């Protein structure tokens, strides 16, 4: 695969493939240069088609690109799943089918159980991450995705091993807008604090009713509340920030006004 793409550094089984693209390796022209994988952003259709074909060839799997709407639905990916299925997360047990999330500031989250029998990917913008309230606590895209991964693992083992399966999920966080760049209003902060007061340290006062939100930190917090303690990837440092690295990452917030548009990267995971 392209040397600039990000391969997760995590102890997933060897038959599990995973990658997050960067701007490198495609044919799109500015402001979508070069490897734009989004077909909905105004890029030339032929360039996007060529980029997607090259991406599929390099990963050796068939990526299914979703129509992401910043909500909480999880689609099951099989050989018959249509491109642009409406969902913000997906799960698969079908070898050769890549769960794929497109991002340009939102957080891509990849899941695999240690048994290597199921993989999943989630698109975690603040709305999908926040989710809604339930009698058992917040339920957003990460909770829904985690629940489905656990359910598959549980169905594959004896009851005595269920606790081990719940605690044996690996999660990788890809690049996103960083905590020094993600400015939100009082309403966003208040919504997260209403869900859980422990989120308060992840919002830093930027003045004038604005706050700097730590998106990967909020995701880690929610994952740990589910019992996930094997979390890899994005640690909130500038190297992972889409806004701060214009030569490597697309960023909608950085580019859409000044350049008239932004491409999309993809985070994919699949069973070989």
């Amino acid at each position: 695969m392209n040397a600039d793409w990000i391969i997760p550094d995590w102890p997933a089984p060897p038959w599990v493939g995973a990658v997050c693209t960067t701007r490198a390796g495609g044919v799109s022209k500015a402001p979508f240069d070069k490897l734009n994988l989004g077909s909905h952003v105004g890029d030339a259709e032929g360039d996007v088609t060529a980029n997607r074909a090259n991406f599929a060839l390099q990963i050796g799997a068939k990526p299914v690109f979703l129509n992401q709407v910043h909500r909480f639905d999880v689609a099951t990916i099989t050989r018959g799943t249509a491109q642009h299925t409406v969902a913000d997360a997906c799960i698969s047990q079908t070898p050769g089918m890549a769960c794929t999330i497109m991002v340009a500031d939102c957080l891509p989250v990849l899941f695999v159980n240690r048994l290597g029998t199921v993989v999943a990917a989630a698109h975690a913008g603040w709305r999908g991450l926040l989710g809604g309230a339930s009698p058992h606590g917040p339920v957003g895209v990460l909770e829904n995705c985690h629940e489905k991964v656990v359910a598959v693992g549980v169905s594959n083992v004896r009851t005595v091993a269920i606790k081990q399966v719940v605690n044996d999920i690996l999660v990788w966080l890809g690049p996103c807008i960083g905590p020094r760049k993600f400015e939100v209003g009082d309403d966003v902060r208040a919504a997260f604090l209403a869900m859980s007061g422990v989120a308060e340290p992840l919002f830093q006062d930027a003045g004038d009713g604005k706050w700097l939100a730590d998106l990967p930190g909020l995701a880690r917090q929610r994952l740990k509340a589910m019992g996930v303690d094997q979390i890899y990837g994005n640690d909130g440092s500038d190297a992972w920030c889409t806004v701060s690295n214009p030569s490597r990452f697309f960023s909608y917030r950085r580019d859409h006004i000044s350049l008239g548009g932004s491409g999309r990267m993809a985070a994919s995971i699949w069973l070989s």
Side-chain angles (χ1 to χ4, degrees):
M1 285 185 279
N2 190 288
D4 191 59
W5 296 357
I6 304 170
I7 308 297
D9 182 10
W10 60 347
W15 56 87
V16 175
V19 68
C20 183
T21 64
T22 63
R23 301 183 74 134
V27 299
S28 291
K29 316 305 186 294
F32 309 106
D33 49 322
K34 299 187 177 69
L35 188 67
N36 166 47
L37 295 167
S39 62
H40 61 296
V41 298
D43 194 4
E45 181 179 351
D47 288 349
V48 177
T49 299
N51 288 342
R52 289 187 172 188
N54 179 45
F55 176 59
L57 180 65
Q58 292 207 46
I59 68 173
K62 180 181 178 180
V64 176
F65 294 93
L66 303 176
N67 179 7
Q68 299 164 191
V69 291
H70 296 273
R71 291 191 58 78
F72 332 122
D73 293 337
V74 183
T76 298
I77 302 300
T78 66
R79 298 197 188 284
T81 303
Q83 296 290 342
H84 308 301
T85 293
V86 178
D88 278 87
C90 51
I91 184 170
S92 184
Q93 298 179 77
T94 304
M97 299 300 294
C99 293
T100 301
I101 295 298
M102 287 185 295
V103 290
D105 282 331
C106 293
L107 176 68
V109 184
L110 304 182
F111 295 77
V112 63
N113 62 351
R114 195 174 286 278
L115 295 173
T117 58
V118 61
V119 294
H123 164 240
W126 73 261
R127 291 177 180 83
L129 180 61
L130 174 67
S134 80
H136 307 292
V139 177
V141 68
L142 296 187
E143 285 82 4
N144 284 347
C145 205
H146 175 262
E147 180 182 20
K148 288 185 178 292
V149 173
V150 169
V152 170
V154 168
S155 71
N156 290 335
V157 300
R158 295 169 55 190
T159 304
V160 293
I162 286 178
K163 183 175 181 181
Q164 179 180 350
V165 170
V166 172
N167 293 332
D168 236 8
I169 293 175
L170 312 178
V171 174
W172 184 81
L173 309 180
C176 71
I177 187 170
R180 297 204 297 173
K181 299 293 185 180
F182 189 24
E183 189 175 88
V184 299
D186 278 326
D187 56 333
V188 174
R189 176 177 178 270
F192 274 96
L193 297 191
M195 287 288 184
S196 174
V198 298
E200 186 171 9
L202 298 174
F203 292 86
Q204 300 300 313
D205 192 348
D208 296 324
K210 300 294 184 181
W211 302 83
L212 293 174
D214 184 347
L215 188 59
L218 289 165
R220 284 176 179 269
Q221 192 176 78
R222 294 287 282 269
L223 289 162
K224 289 178 180 179
M226 299 174 222
V228 178
D229 57 11
Q230 299 177 85
I231 307 172
Y232 303 87
N234 191 336
D235 59 4
S237 62
D238 285 349
W240 291 93
C241 177
T242 49
V243 177
S244 301
N245 295 277
S247 64
R248 193 177 196 202
F249 299 134
F250 293 115
S251 167
Y252 178 80
R253 181 168 288 209
R254 182 192 64 225
D255 294 338
H256 82 285
I257 294 178
S258 60
L259 300 181
S262 173
R264 296 294 187 272
M265 301 171 294
S268 283
I269 186 166
W270 63 96
L271 300 173
S272 299

